[in-house]
Amino acid sequence: MNDGATMTSPSDSSETFATTATTATGTAGTGAEWKATACILCECNCGVEIRLGGDGHTFERIRGDKAHPASQGYTCEKALRLDFYQNGRGERVLHPLRRGDDGTFEEIDWDTAIAEISARLGQVRDAHGGESILYYGGGGQGNHLGGAYASATLAAYGAKFRSSALAQEKTGEFWVNGLMFGGIVRADFEHAEVAVFVGKNPWMSHSIPHARTTLKAIANDPARALIVIDPRRTETAELADIHLQVRPGRDAWLLAAMAAILVEEGLLDGAWLAARATGVEIVRAALRDVPIAEFCAISGIDEQVVRLAARRIAGAGSVAVFEDLGVQMNRHSTLVSYLEKLVWALTGNLGKPGSQYLPSGLAAIGRVSAKELDRQRAPVSPVVGAKLIGGLIPCNVIPDEILTDHPRRYRALIVESGNPAHSIADSQRMREAMGALDVTICIDVFMTETARLSDYVLPAPTQYEKFEATFFNFEFPQNVFHLRHPVVDAPAGPLCEAEIHARLVEAAGVYTAGDLAPLHAAAAAGRAEFAAAFAAATSANPRLGAVAPVVLYRTLGPTLPGGAASAAALWALAHRCAMFNADGVRAAGFGDGPDAGERLFDAILTSPSGVVFTEDDWDVTWSRVKTPDGAVHLDIAELLDELAAMRTETPPGDDPYWPFLLSAGERRSFTANTILRDPAWRKRDAHGALRVSPADAAVLGLVDGGEARLSTKRGASTVQVAVDEHMQHGHIALPNGLGLDHIGSDGRVVTGTAPNELTATADRDPWAGTPWHKSVPARLEPVP
């Protein structure tokens, strides 16, 4: 069958479903004009413009897009290297692949691939229940539309469990945010008097608007202050007024001491707490019991310096705080998320310029359901019993959920825009787990480490060959959504994720062509007619409602301009936003009433540089605090118990058998996620050297550029050494994004060390299951 023609339904061979495969990626156009798009290497997704070379596919030049409402022309050096993603030496997949018994792959056509995958998923579902199918992925830093359509595939096959890289990093903070505020929290650094970064180096990792410009503005203003908590003297720490160079893995002791100082010295904002918070006295009593001097000593920071930092925070008119992977993938990570928030909540830094806020959003990334927050009925994973947070099971328990004889173990795995064989802790055990599954499917652009272990590999276009978007929309007061248009045309063979999921849903026989016929007719008549028909159809037929994104793609999608069919799922999200944030949508210029959602959706479709979709004022913060009583809930009993237990805990480090603590995955000037597989993109540190302090290098006889043998309890690797004066004694660091392969002149080549060959799934947070990657006990020996 021609991939762009018709599709036969297995449920009724006489029926056909019109596809949008021929237009799913749109038309990129040709010529040397600048094309608006965005960077895909961090959550900021700064707008960029790309000019193609004469061959029509090389990214000849890249620059910041001044028309982008959020980034306004700002971009960092990483975005300028995006040609190595689009045209690098990663092993591109252009046809569906099926792995044979001998481990080799053969090309198959799309009909065969979809039919076989549907049959095998159906067999697993029928024999063991849909809950035995696990979905992993749904998008990285810049490609989230596929995840919107994946929900339809999960519904079609009865799958209930999913995970993603967010569960490797952020779910502890999500849980704390949910309990304290009922929603996600972000911070306004542009207007903050004091900016605090906890385990975060935004000079390299960005994640805040105009990161370097903002950092320099704070550092150069004598009325403002920058406080950094980090074991390394990072580029951001070099700018700081106060650098709290905590010992690795001991952030919880430091933050507990800071919060306790606020209580001891009477630095709380009593009036704000009385008006806005509950649990104040419980928290105050717990913090009075913290031995401040002892905890400062454990953290490695002079007590007077810690007191100075606490006083500067308490005395500021506004404080903005950002925690990141340095603590979120470390010891006591969920407790650290809690303590960090206590520091700014106790000083009244929520809901005013320069402080924390609760953003609007088109999708519910980071939001935790009321059921997940209910201690008595919170959902858990089927084997290990791990908490589901934000609908995600912890990445670190996935192998344990598979490598067992438990009757409810996972037996099928769908991976989309993810690489768990590389990115999940203990890669050896994850590879073993994938081999134990009944069937594995990988949807990706490249032949990744995960793809090579899968039974089927389904090729997708790159993020610059299709319409794509991210739901990391956290700006305030103006929040921005950017539907990116194709920059180049996709090659023949790959299908966009929306089309793949539509075919999988149809292969499951969820609906008939007759079910969609009235919706096609309504869509042709107009949006108002379609809205009424869609509401009626999904209400009358719950099976249609369960796969609504795919239904929208098949019916509304073909009517969208420029081949933007895969943006159809945004129609429902635009209407939902207009309904639940009518004031913000109105202030952004889209008016009132039922047409506001349509106007917003049209603006999303026709704004190649992005659009402001809501404009809020600071008072809206309090309507978004979704705790049962609308107050900030300071008391989290489980975490206060963990805080109390720290008084008798042996902190990490100081083990003579493992004399170092390894940060396994440090962000650097030219590291990013694993979609950049060509090491040539890195201008510096090509092999991802291990950073070692001068003192430790001298003791071990290591030299800059030399080699050493790095060992942990899970693995060992020979690494290149970088003697770094910014490292403290006993702390070593490897970069993230290394250990990937690419196609070189002599075949497949692997560059650098994959950090997760050295990490263990058992080393994880007790609440969220996030890993302890930033303080892995290690040994280091010179290579003779």
Side-chain angles (χ1 to χ4, degrees):
M1 184 186 71
N2 201 334
D3 286 336
T6 58
M7 176 179 172
T8 301
S9 167
S11 62
D12 185 342
S13 59
S14 66
E15 292 184 325
T16 59
F17 299 87
T19 75
T20 53
T22 54
T23 60
T25 56
T27 302
T30 58
E33 73 271 17
W34 290 95
K35 299 183 178 183
T37 182
C39 177
I40 55 175
L41 299 181
C42 93
E43 67 176 75
C44 284
N45 301 113
C46 295
V48 298
E49 292 182 303
I50 294 174
R51 190 174 72 191
L52 301 179
D55 57 11
H57 62 82
T58 301
F59 290 6
E60 180 181 76
R61 285 194 61 194
I62 301 171
R63 68 186 183 189
D65 181 5
K66 294 180 180 179
H68 191 277
S71 57
Q72 299 175 338
Y74 176 90
T75 188
C76 76
E77 58 191 347
K78 293 182 182 183
L80 307 182
R81 309 287 285 174
L82 283 167
D83 187 57
F84 287 93
Y85 161 74
Q86 177 64 33
N87 297 298
R89 292 175 291 170
E91 186 177 357
R92 186 78 190 265
V93 182
L94 295 175
H95 305 280
L97 301 175
R98 178 177 59 204
R99 185 160 60 94
D101 294 338
D102 62 354
T104 61
F105 286 89
E106 64 172 324
E107 292 184 6
I108 57 176
D109 60 56
W110 276 102
D111 283 356
T112 301
I114 295 296
E116 290 187 4
I117 290 169
S118 179
R120 294 186 68 175
L121 289 175
Q123 290 166 2
V124 170
R125 175 199 59 208
D126 295 342
H128 306 289
E131 63 269 19
S132 62
I133 301 171
L134 174 65
Y135 174 85
Y136 182 94
Q141 299 285 14
N143 56 317
H144 294 169
L145 284 184
Y149 293 100
S151 63
T153 294
L154 302 188
Y157 294 91
K160 303 181 187 305
F161 293 102
R162 61 194 303 163
S163 189
S164 78
L166 287 173
Q168 183 86 329
E169 304 166 349
K170 301 291 183 182
T171 43
E173 185 183 19
F174 293 168
W175 187 62
V176 170
N177 279 336
L179 289 169
M180 293 183 73
F181 313 105
I184 63 170
V185 176
R186 301 287 285 193
D188 173 19
F189 289 94
E190 182 181 358
H191 303 103
E193 180 182 333
V194 174
V196 183
F197 295 101
V198 185
K200 172 74 175 171
N201 180 16
W203 190 266
M204 289 301 180
S205 61
H206 305 280
S207 304
I208 65 171
H210 312 94
R212 294 187 178 181
T213 302
T214 299
L215 290 172
K216 287 189 286 188
I218 297 170
N220 292 331
D221 187 341
R224 303 173 75 184
L226 180 60
I227 299 173
V228 173
I229 299 174
D230 202 295
R232 179 175 176 268
R233 197 167 78 249
T234 64
E235 292 78 5
T236 305
E238 292 275 16
L239 296 171
D241 298 274
I242 303 174
H243 176 206
L244 301 173
Q245 194 168 9
V246 63
R247 291 190 63 183
R250 302 189 181 192
D251 306 83
W253 284 269
L254 173 61
L255 284 161
M258 292 179 69
I261 289 167
L262 295 175
V263 170
E264 183 191 75
E265 297 191 6
L267 300 175
L268 309 189
D269 188 335
W272 187 92
L273 292 170
R276 297 294 190 182
T278 66
V280 178
E281 291 309 314
I282 295 172
V283 169
R284 195 195 305 260
L287 292 174
R288 284 197 193 103
D289 290 338
V290 170
I292 294 171
E294 179 185 344
F295 276 26
C296 289
I298 288 171
S299 72
I301 311 294
D302 181 270
E303 180 182 343
Q304 295 309 311
V305 177
V306 180
R307 289 185 180 276
L308 176 66
R311 292 166 189 158
R312 185 66 182 92
I313 289 170
S318 59
V319 178
V321 183
F322 199 129
E323 62 165 85
D324 209 355
L325 305 190
V327 292
Q328 291 171 339
M329 304 175 84
N330 213 330
R331 316 297 176 100
H332 294 292
S333 58
T334 301
L335 176 60
V336 166
S337 292
Y338 176 50
L339 292 170
E340 165 260 303
K341 287 165 179 55
L342 283 182
V343 168
W344 58 255
L346 289 170
T347 51
N349 281 288
L350 175 67
K352 62 182 179 181
S355 72
Q356 279 58 229
Y357 58 84
L358 281 76
S360 60
L362 282 185
I365 287 180
R367 290 177 173 84
V368 182
S369 70
K371 186 176 181 180
E372 290 174 334
L373 296 175
D374 187 327
R375 273 79 160 187
Q376 303 303 315
R377 61 189 187 101
V380 297
S381 65
V383 175
V384 177
K387 284 181 183 292
L388 270 66
I389 301 174
L392 305 173
I393 72 161
C395 299
N396 270 17
V397 307
I398 290 176
D400 295 338
E401 297 280 344
I402 297 169
L403 295 171
T404 174
D405 60 1
H406 195 288
R408 296 183 63 204
R409 66 185 181 272
Y410 297 134
R411 299 170 187 266
L413 176 65
I414 304 170
V415 177
E416 179 178 355
S417 300
N419 191 4
H422 183 278
S423 61
I424 288 179
D426 201 339
S427 294
Q428 304 98 307
R429 188 162 167 77
M430 187 62 204
R431 289 192 290 267
E432 180 186 359
M434 289 191 68
L437 291 161
D438 293 354
V439 62
T440 52
I441 302 103
C442 182
I443 303 170
D444 213 312
V445 176
F446 300 109
M447 197 66 171
T448 65
E449 290 72 19
T450 299
R452 282 198 294 275
L453 297 171
S454 299
D455 295 303
Y456 296 90
V457 183
L458 303 181
T462 74
Q463 296 188 43
Y464 295 104
E465 295 169 352
K466 61 186 175 183
F467 284 89
E468 192 51 277
T470 171
F471 295 120
F472 290 145
N473 318 117
F474 303 133
E475 294 89 2
F476 191 92
Q478 293 184 324
N479 206 348
V480 173
F481 187 84
H482 187 185
L483 176 65
R484 309 192 307 271
H485 295 206
V487 174
V488 295
D489 291 327
L495 295 178
C496 74
E497 292 88 340
E499 180 67 26
I500 293 171
H501 288 297
R503 294 187 182 197
L504 286 170
V505 167
E506 289 158 358
V510 174
Y511 53 72
T512 67
D515 292 330
L516 300 191
L519 294 175
H520 282 294
R527 295 270 184 83
E529 292 81 356
F530 179 80
F534 181 78
T538 53
S539 176
N541 185 351
R543 286 169 62 85
L544 284 184
V547 297
V550 158
V551 173
L552 289 172
Y553 171 70
R554 280 289 188 238
T555 57
L556 178 65
T559 71
L560 301 183
S566 58
L570 300 177
W571 175 79
L573 295 178
H575 276 277
R576 185 181 185 280
C577 183
M579 180 183 301
F580 290 102
N581 189 5
D583 290 343
V585 169
R586 182 191 312 110
F590 300 105
D592 292 297
D595 289 341
E598 289 295 345
R599 287 189 285 267
L600 173 56
F601 181 56
D602 283 335
I604 289 171
L605 292 174
T606 58
S607 303
S609 292
V611 62
V612 174
F613 69 95
T614 58
E615 185 166 351
D616 296 318
D617 58 42
W618 281 94
D619 287 341
V620 78
T621 295
W622 303 108
S623 68
R624 291 183 182 155
V625 173
K626 297 298 184 182
T627 55
D629 56 4
V632 174
H633 286 199
L634 298 181
D635 171 24
I636 301 180
E638 303 95 319
L639 298 180
L640 290 177
D641 289 344
E642 185 178 349
L643 171 63
M646 284 171 52
R647 296 199 294 270
T648 58
E649 178 181 339
T650 301
D654 300 330
D655 182 344
Y657 191 74
W658 302 107
F660 294 95
L661 288 177
L662 167 69
S663 288
E666 178 188 48
R667 292 179 178 177
R668 298 182 184 173
S669 55
F670 285 98
T671 63
N673 49 45
T674 61
I675 63 172
L676 269 167
R677 304 188 65 83
D678 187 344
W681 91 279
R682 289 188 286 275
K683 286 185 173 182
R684 295 184 289 278
D685 192 24
H687 297 283
L690 179 80
R691 286 174 168 162
V692 183
S693 75
D696 290 328
V699 170
L700 294 172
L702 302 177
V703 297
D704 193 64
E707 290 187 332
R709 187 70 174 168
L710 172 64
S711 304
T712 70
K713 66 181 180 181
R714 286 303 291 145
S717 178
T718 298
V719 295
Q720 187 180 85
V721 171
V723 179
D724 187 337
E725 64 180 3
H726 301 95
M727 300 293 290
Q728 60 176 285
H729 165 63
H731 184 212
I732 54 180
L734 278 174
N736 70 311
L738 274 289
L740 303 173
D741 62 43
H742 66 282
I743 302 302
S745 56
D746 297 322
R748 187 172 285 123
V749 179
V750 177
T751 302
T753 296
N756 282 312
E757 297 293 338
L758 304 171
T759 59
T761 56
D763 295 337
R764 59 186 186 239
D765 182 75
W767 309 110
T770 44
W772 295 348
H773 284 358
K774 305 302 183 181
S775 56
V776 180
R779 288 197 305 272
L780 196 59
E781 302 163 314
V783 173

